[in-house]
Amino acid sequence: MTPENVPVWISLIGNFGFPIAITVYLFIRFERKLDKLEAVIMELSEVIKSLNYKKGE
Protein backbone atom coordinates (compact mmCIF):
# COMPACT_ATOMS: atom_id res chain seq x y z
CA MET A 1 0.00 0.00 0.00
CA THR A 2 1.45 3.27 -1.06
CA PRO A 3 0.65 6.67 0.46
CA GLU A 4 -1.31 7.56 -2.68
CA ASN A 5 -3.69 4.63 -2.06
CA VAL A 6 -4.48 5.50 1.58
CA PRO A 7 -7.51 7.72 0.78
CA VAL A 8 -8.94 4.96 -1.41
CA TRP A 9 -8.59 2.38 1.38
CA ILE A 10 -10.09 4.75 3.96
CA SER A 11 -13.04 5.36 1.65
CA LEU A 12 -13.55 1.61 1.11
CA ILE A 13 -13.44 0.88 4.83
CA GLY A 14 -15.81 3.77 5.52
CA ASN A 15 -18.28 2.61 2.91
CA PHE A 16 -18.22 -1.12 3.59
CA GLY A 17 -16.92 -1.53 7.15
CA PHE A 18 -20.12 -0.52 8.90
CA PRO A 19 -22.45 -2.75 6.84
CA ILE A 20 -20.09 -5.69 7.33
CA ALA A 21 -20.01 -5.12 11.10
CA ILE A 22 -23.81 -4.94 11.27
CA THR A 23 -24.13 -8.10 9.19
CA VAL A 24 -21.76 -10.04 11.46
CA TYR A 25 -23.64 -8.81 14.55
CA LEU A 26 -26.99 -9.87 13.09
CA PHE A 27 -25.67 -13.28 12.03
CA ILE A 28 -24.41 -13.92 15.57
CA ARG A 29 -27.78 -12.96 17.07
CA PHE A 30 -29.63 -15.06 14.48
CA GLU A 31 -27.45 -18.07 15.26
CA ARG A 32 -28.27 -17.84 18.97
CA LYS A 33 -31.97 -17.66 18.21
CA LEU A 34 -31.71 -20.69 15.92
CA ASP A 35 -29.95 -22.64 18.68
CA LYS A 36 -32.76 -21.79 21.12
CA LEU A 37 -35.38 -22.71 18.53
CA GLU A 38 -33.70 -26.05 17.92
CA ALA A 39 -33.74 -26.83 21.65
CA VAL A 40 -37.43 -25.95 21.93
CA ILE A 41 -38.30 -28.09 18.92
CA MET A 42 -36.43 -31.06 20.39
CA GLU A 43 -38.25 -30.57 23.70
CA LEU A 44 -41.60 -30.38 21.89
CA SER A 45 -40.76 -33.58 20.04
CA GLU A 46 -40.14 -35.38 23.33
CA VAL A 47 -43.42 -34.10 24.77
CA ILE A 48 -45.33 -35.28 21.71
CA LYS A 49 -43.67 -38.71 21.93
CA SER A 50 -44.60 -39.02 25.60
CA LEU A 51 -48.21 -37.99 24.89
CA ASN A 52 -48.47 -40.54 22.09
CA TYR A 53 -47.01 -43.21 24.36
CA LYS A 54 -49.54 -42.46 27.13
CA LYS A 55 -52.38 -42.42 24.59
CA GLY A 56 -51.45 -45.91 23.46
CA GLU A 57 -51.69 -47.40 26.96
Side-chain angles (χ1 to χ4, degrees):
M1 180 162 71
T2 63
E4 297 86 29
N5 292 340
V6 171
V8 173
W9 283 102
I10 290 174
S11 175
L12 285 173
I13 290 171
N15 289 335
F16 297 108
F18 181 73
I20 289 171
I22 294 297
T23 302
V24 169
Y25 171 74
L26 291 175
F27 276 148
I28 290 171
R29 286 195 58 198
F30 188 66
E31 181 184 9
R32 288 184 195 147
K33 290 187 184 286
L34 283 177
D35 289 341
K36 288 179 184 178
L37 181 61
E38 180 183 4
V40 170
I41 290 172
M42 294 300 289
E43 183 179 335
L44 180 61
S45 173
E46 293 300 319
V47 169
I48 290 171
K49 284 180 187 176
S50 70
L51 289 174
N52 285 337
Y53 179 74
K54 288 179 183 179
K55 195 186 245 187
E57 287 181 351

